[in-house]
Amino acid sequence: MTYFEPPIHWQDHEDIAMALYEKFGDDFTEAKIYRIRFTDLLDWILTLPNFEGTREQATEGHLEQIQAKWVYEWRDNQ
């Protein structure tokens, strides 16, 4: 059974963070998540399924929020 996944946009910080956690699991600890370069983070986000934002729409604020939410997601799963 396939179900519809709504598109993810830059303001969907929590959805992006959950998708990153699903993609990388425990490969990244809290300390490693905070050391990820924004250029890498941006590239990873742009390759997520259902992500519909563009590189030009990315802001440092979005990336900081996503990074923080990814840490929360990681902590919740420990």
Side-chain angles (χ1 to χ4, degrees), residues 37-65:
R37 294 193 323 251
F38 278 174
T39 51
D40 291 337
L41 185 58
L42 182 56
D43 288 341
W44 297 339
I45 292 167
L46 291 170
T47 63
L48 291 172
N50 302 326
F51 185 75
E52 292 196 353
T54 65
R55 185 175 298 274
E56 295 71 34
Q57 294 167 323
T59 65
E60 197 169 310
H62 286 311
L63 296 171
E64 287 169 352
Q65 286 291 315

Side-chain angles (χ1 to χ4, degrees), residues 19-51:
L20 289 168
Y21 181 76
E22 284 172 19
K23 180 174 183 166
F24 294 106
D26 293 327
D27 291 350
F28 288 94
T29 60
E30 180 172 344
K32 283 185 181 174
I33 293 168
Y34 278 126
R35 285 199 305 266
I36 294 169
R37 294 193 323 251
F38 278 174
T39 51
D40 291 337
L41 185 58
L42 182 56
D43 288 341
W44 297 339
I45 292 167
L46 291 170
T47 63
L48 291 172
N50 302 326
F51 185 75

Side-chain angles (χ1 to χ4, degrees), residues 3 8 12 16-19 22-23 25-26 33 42 44 53 57 61 64 69-71 75 77:
Y3 58 96
I8 301 172
D12 302 325
I16 295 169
M18 288 193 309
E22 284 172 19
K23 180 174 183 166
D26 293 327
I33 293 168
L42 182 56
W44 297 339
Q57 294 167 323
E64 287 169 352
K69 300 276 191 213
W70 187 359
V71 166
R75 283 184 194 156
N77 285 281

